[in-house]
Amino acid sequence: MIRKPLTQIAPWLWFAVLVLFVVTTVQKMNAGNAISLNLVSLLPVEERSPALDDAVGNVRDEFERKWIVLIGSANAERVIALAIQAGEELDAATGAKVDAGASPDTARDIYEFYSKYRHGLMDREFAALLAAGDRERIASHIARRYVDPSALITSQLIEKDPLLLLSAFMGETLPAMPSNARLESGVVSFERNGMHYVPIILDLPESPFSQRMQNKVIAALSDLRNRLAEKSPRSRLLSTGVVLHAAKGTESATREISTVGLGSLIGVVALILFVFRSLKPLIAAIVAISTGFISGLFACLFLFGEVHILTLVFGGSLVGISVDYVFHYYCERAHGPTSLSGMQALAHIRPGITLGLITTLIGFVGLWIAPFPGLRQMAVFSGAGLVAAYLSVCFWFPRFDFKLSPLPPNVRSMIDAVTTKGQRFSTRVLTGGICLSGVVLILGIFQLVPTDDVRLFQSLGANLKAEQEEIEAILSSNRASQFFVVEAKSAETLLQLDEEISDLLRIAGQENFTSVSRFVPSIKRQQENTRLLIETLDTESIQIFLHDALGLAPQMLNAYSASLSGHAAPLTLPEWLGAPASHGHRDLYLGEADGIHRSIILLDVAHDIARLEELANSRPNVHFIDTAGAYSRTFTKYREQTIFLALISYLLVSMVLAWRYGWLGMLTIMTAPVAAAIASLGVIGWVGASFSLFNVMALLLALGISVDYGIFFREMKGRKVETLIAVILSGLTTILAFGLLAFSDTAAIQAFGLTIFVSIAVALLISPIMGGYLKGTGK
């Protein structure tokens, strides 16, 4: 008495739930930030303290918001005017702030600032000579400074700084301009191949992954190119930055969503109209696809608060899977000379599609438990979508369906012709062909070369990459993505630790790096420098040598030595941060949070990553950050673990099938997915495609899909033609959907597509044989 009202209300209850999904999803989408474009949000979270993770995030955010534009012209004077105007236009169009850069006044201010602390500042070589106490080499070193043709020496300078310590310190501290650079009217320009380029460094006001920001930048660049072409036809405009790569990725993903979704939809429509000659299955397929897509989108927004655009690309392939239930239902409805009723058709297919859904969801479990937010999103999206499509078939189709004509005779004749030809193959020929193919494919598996690069998730445009490389060549700049984070409980301790790591880096052969202690020596080091200097100048032999060689009067040296004992307070980090001397380098100091001060050491080129990591591990408050390397190592670790996970999934599915069909039935059904896995890996090995975590994840998904075909054949109960037609339709739409993914510009999505494409194609060929269809036997 209770069951009947429940079955009657279930379709309307499911409709109400879907309406709730639609309303909630639309509200979330209208609120903004529902679609994520940030690649980092897809990747696994590194195991770090929250404070350190925030610090690293701030460094990454600072880098990501940088946008570089180069204006080039053969006329050195004209290019400066063009660049100044271009900077103003870009600022007005995007809100990005232009870095004013250095100027002659700034350089003069920097010199005056450091001159107040000159007694404790000296270059590393001279400090080492003082520490060694080699007086002859000390005197010779000072003499070489006086004969240096590049040194601008005045009597006033000699009186204040007779040993020329400050000029040597600044020469070592301040980065030298590249040989192709020149400073004119406060603007730095770079010469290359007869062209003069002026860089415009901009800071974006929003995240580069904001689509609004991307649109502003792309539009501003396009307008600027057009205006430059009119004003100065021979000028050039080059640009690089994360925002441009992100915009390219957004464009690529949007295009792929349209291609995969539309291509799959067109294929489904064509197949339905060809097989059923009716719009009813087509409308039903659209309903199943729509409910699946909305449910998947709602599930992601509910669990993650957002859905990444690559998840939508992958979700487009849901079109090729969710219609499987529709095909089986309508093939059953069109059974025999007269159509079955909706409830009869559902009763016949429900055991098969239910078990098929369960095994598919088992495949998705592997994606869900993977420590990759992106893969979890894909699993949730597809899993929720398939459940929704299944419920729509069960609740709606039998009750809102009308009489359907039987399958057209030409469709049946085509299937009979294909199967008749298949049955003509002798068992010996078939077995020989399978064995030979198996040997070739297994050999291909041995050709697999693992690839665990984080760039598998990126869609890098060749033009953007070439432009970035040209900019780096012009500016003589190519900063590594690796850096150190140094932590301490006080600013002074931070500087001392920063100096210690800097010294160890030099010992390790890592000369090209930038640290905050390069610009602000610790008070301890400044005081040590002053002490050694006083001890050295108190030596009579040094004073005699300097007098004889350079004409420095003993009275001047004595006065200078006396001033060292009573000099002003040493240079401190807060004073440096508030002075022009810190311009362009303030971001080396990350600030203080919860009583911990942090700074970074930026590497220009990272040599011997393993040794750098070992150096950081030897100090408890030093962290080597190699984000790309860490992700790649994580990919390697989880690829290896996921292979084991895939084996477990195959075992779980086998146990479910053994419970339902017995051990022999399980082996019959599992032959197709196992052969499909071997075939896909073998093909990948022979074609030289990358083998990564994403191929293994695809095998989990392929297991859930391909095992369905064997289940449907085991459940066909005499309706062999209808079952085969439904399986062929399901396979073709899945191949179409994932086949399109194989052409993605993103390697991770491409790996999914290629692996599943080959797997399903092989499963579609083997399942009818193992299901007994081609032998003329059923269950």
Side-chain angles (χ1 to χ4, degrees):
M1 296 297 293
I2 298 177
R3 183 179 178 183
K4 186 175 181 179
L6 284 177
T7 58
Q8 292 176 345
I9 199 174
W12 300 105
L13 182 61
W14 175 233
F15 177 77
V17 170
L18 284 174
V19 170
L20 177 63
F21 286 178
V22 171
V23 172
T24 305
T25 301
V26 170
Q27 289 178 343
K28 179 67 176 176
M29 298 290 285
N30 290 337
N33 300 323
I35 305 298
S36 172
L37 308 174
N38 190 348
L39 173 67
V40 176
S41 66
L42 286 178
L43 301 176
V45 179
E46 295 182 68
E47 297 178 359
R48 292 191 292 241
S49 69
L52 179 60
D53 196 55
D54 288 342
V56 173
N58 291 336
V59 175
R60 185 176 61 237
D61 186 63
E62 183 78 19
F63 167 76
E64 289 174 348
R65 291 185 182 232
K66 291 292 182 185
W67 174 29
I68 301 176
V69 177
L70 260 64
I71 306 296
S73 173
N75 188 317
E77 287 72 27
R78 179 166 176 72
V79 73
I80 293 177
L82 289 174
I84 292 174
Q85 185 176 357
E88 293 173 351
E89 292 177 0
L90 293 175
D91 187 348
T94 65
K97 297 304 176 186
V98 179
D99 186 346
S103 68
D105 291 337
T106 303
R108 190 160 45 246
D109 292 339
I110 292 175
Y111 186 87
E112 291 178 357
F113 170 77
Y114 277 121
S115 66
K116 295 183 295 185
Y117 309 98
R118 62 186 180 277
H119 298 306
L121 305 177
M122 61 181 65
D123 61 289
R124 293 192 310 276
E125 183 180 1
F126 190 69
L129 291 176
L130 292 180
D134 190 338
R135 291 171 175 77
E136 282 194 21
R137 293 183 62 193
I138 291 171
S140 299
H141 189 80
I142 297 172
R144 283 199 303 270
R145 292 178 179 174
Y146 272 89
V147 298
D148 184 354
S150 63
L152 299 177
I153 302 173
T154 63
S155 58
Q156 186 179 9
L157 173 63
I158 294 174
E159 184 177 351
K160 289 185 176 181
D161 187 14
L163 305 186
L164 304 182
L165 294 177
L166 183 58
S167 59
F169 169 79
M170 293 189 65
E172 179 181 78
T173 299
L174 301 182
M177 294 181 64
S179 58
N180 65 329
R182 71 173 185 173
L183 181 63
E184 183 177 338
S185 303
V187 178
V188 179
S189 64
F190 298 81
E191 192 274 334
R192 181 178 172 84
N193 298 332
M195 294 284 287
H196 299 271
Y197 296 89
V198 173
I200 306 170
I201 314 297
L202 303 106
D203 290 306
L204 298 176
E206 299 179 38
S207 168
F209 301 103
S210 162
Q211 193 164 8
R212 178 175 59 184
M213 191 74 257
Q214 293 172 10
N215 292 338
K216 285 183 178 181
V217 168
I218 297 301
L221 279 177
S222 178
D223 291 342
L224 182 58
R225 288 184 194 276
N226 293 334
R227 282 194 290 272
L228 283 175
E230 294 175 1
K231 292 180 180 179
S232 180
R234 295 185 179 181
S235 63
R236 294 191 68 198
L237 187 152
L238 301 173
S239 184
T240 187
V242 172
V243 64
L244 299 180
H245 291 286
K248 175 65 177 177
T250 302
E251 176 192 355
S252 175
T254 303
R255 182 179 65 253
E256 289 172 6
I257 289 173
S258 303
T259 301
V260 172
L262 183 61
S264 300
L265 193 58
I266 291 174
V268 170
V269 170
L271 286 170
I272 288 176
L273 293 180
F274 174 76
V275 172
F276 296 105
R277 303 290 198 274
S278 172
L279 292 177
K280 294 176 186 177
L282 176 59
I283 295 172
I286 293 174
V287 169
I289 292 168
S290 301
T291 56
F293 192 85
I294 288 294
S295 300
L297 188 58
F298 170 81
C300 283
L301 293 176
F302 178 78
L303 291 177
F304 305 106
E306 63 181 16
V307 58
H308 198 278
I309 195 166
L310 287 184
T311 300
L312 295 181
V313 174
F314 180 80
S317 63
L318 187 64
V319 173
I321 307 175
S322 59
V323 294
D324 289 4
Y325 310 136
V326 179
F327 289 148
H328 282 281
Y329 174 80
Y330 277 101
C331 283
E332 285 294 325
R333 286 277 284 109
H335 170 64
T338 58
S339 300
L340 298 178
S341 69
M343 295 306 296
Q344 288 176 319
L346 180 63
H348 288 162
I349 70 167
R350 185 157 44 200
I353 66 174
T354 301
L355 190 58
L357 175 65
I358 293 172
T359 54
T360 302
L361 292 178
I362 290 176
F364 284 135
V365 167
L367 300 179
W368 167 250
I369 65 176
F372 286 78
L375 295 179
R376 288 178 177 176
Q377 278 196 17
M378 293 173 187
V380 169
F381 190 100
S382 299
L386 288 178
V387 170
Y390 170 86
L391 293 177
S392 297
V393 170
C394 292
F395 289 155
W396 290 347
F397 285 20
R399 293 166 179 81
F400 302 103
D401 193 12
F402 302 99
K403 185 177 180 180
L404 187 71
S405 300
L407 291 173
N410 62 328
V411 174
R412 289 180 173 272
S413 62
M414 287 176 59
I415 296 299
D416 288 338
V418 171
T419 55
T420 299
K421 291 181 180 180
Q423 290 169 353
R424 291 175 183 171
F425 284 100
S426 67
T427 304
R428 182 178 301 177
V429 172
L430 194 61
T431 303
I434 292 175
C435 291
L436 179 61
S437 300
V439 171
V440 172
L441 292 170
I442 290 174
L443 290 175
I445 294 177
F446 288 100
Q447 308 299 318
L448 291 173
V449 178
T451 303
D452 301 304
D453 197 325
V454 68
R455 286 172 291 186
L456 292 171
F457 261 124
Q458 295 176 306
S459 175
L460 298 176
N463 293 337
L464 282 178
K465 188 176 180 181
E467 197 162 322
Q468 177 179 322
E469 290 173 351
E470 184 176 1
I471 289 174
E472 290 174 349
I474 293 171
L475 302 181
S476 301
S477 172
N478 185 16
R479 174 150 288 169
S481 60
Q482 299 87 356
F483 57 93
F484 286 88
V485 175
V486 182
E487 298 179 315
K489 293 184 178 180
S490 69
E492 170 61 14
T493 308
L494 179 74
L495 292 175
Q496 291 180 22
L497 184 56
D498 194 280
E499 288 170 340
E500 181 183 353
I501 299 302
S502 297
D503 292 339
L504 291 174
L505 284 173
R506 295 186 187 98
I507 294 173
Q510 186 75 48
E511 290 288 344
N512 299 318
F513 62 89
T514 308
S515 63
V516 68
S517 63
R518 168 178 173 177
F519 303 94
V520 192
S522 65
I523 295 176
K524 179 182 178 181
R525 180 159 292 189
Q526 292 179 62
Q527 291 174 342
E528 178 67 10
N529 289 342
T530 303
R531 183 186 66 80
L532 291 171
L533 192 56
I534 292 173
E535 291 179 357
T536 301
L537 289 176
D538 284 344
T539 305
E540 186 177 355
S541 60
I542 289 288
Q543 292 195 13
I544 293 173
F545 181 89
L546 293 176
H547 177 266
D548 294 342
L550 304 174
L552 297 178
Q555 296 85 348
M556 177 190 294
L557 294 175
N558 288 332
Y560 177 68
S561 180
S563 69
L564 293 175
S565 302
H567 72 275
L571 172 61
T572 62
L573 183 59
E575 289 171 327
W576 177 77
L577 290 170
S582 61
H583 178 80
H585 305 290
R586 294 188 184 103
D587 55 353
L588 293 172
Y589 176 66
L590 302 181
E592 181 268 337
D594 299 327
I596 301 297
H597 296 258
R598 293 181 177 85
S599 69
I600 57 175
I601 300 177
L602 297 176
L603 306 176
D604 290 344
V605 180
H607 300 295
D608 196 349
I609 298 296
R611 189 171 183 181
L612 295 176
E613 289 179 332
E614 183 180 352
L615 189 156
N617 293 334
S618 66
R619 300 293 187 278
N621 297 321
V622 179
H623 310 273
F624 180 65
I625 308 300
D626 178 17
T627 304
Y631 284 139
S632 296
R633 287 189 294 274
T634 301
F635 282 2
T636 300
K637 179 176 69 174
Y638 288 118
R639 172 176 52 79
E640 295 168 352
Q641 293 181 358
T642 306
I643 291 174
F644 176 75
L645 178 64
L647 295 175
I648 295 298
S649 295
Y650 274 67
L651 179 61
L652 289 175
V653 171
S654 299
M655 292 173 64
V656 172
L657 296 176
W659 168 78
R660 170 72 175 172
Y661 302 111
W663 291 104
L664 182 60
M666 178 271 292
L667 291 175
T668 302
I669 295 174
M670 286 300 295
T671 299
V674 170
I678 294 173
S680 61
L681 293 178
V683 169
I684 292 169
W686 281 121
V687 302
S690 62
F691 174 66
S692 67
L693 167 69
F694 308 105
N695 298 96
V696 184
M697 290 297 183
L699 289 179
L700 289 171
L701 182 57
L703 164 66
I705 299 173
S706 60
V707 77
D708 287 357
Y709 303 154
I711 292 173
F712 294 143
F713 281 117
R714 296 290 298 187
E715 297 285 345
M716 61 186 174
K717 303 184 188 306
R719 290 171 297 281
K720 297 190 294 184
V721 173
E722 289 76 14
T723 301
L724 183 59
I725 293 174
V727 169
I728 291 175
L729 290 175
S730 299
L732 290 178
T733 52
T734 303
I735 288 172
L736 177 62
F738 285 100
L740 292 173
L741 286 182
F743 294 98
S744 170
D745 291 334
T746 305
I749 298 295
Q750 187 183 80
F752 262 104
L754 179 60
T755 303
I756 296 180
F757 173 82
V758 175
S759 296
I760 301 307
V762 171
L764 189 58
L765 291 174
I766 293 180
S767 293
I769 299 174
M770 300 310 298
Y773 189 94
L774 295 182
K775 293 181 180 180
T777 63
K779 181 180 176 181

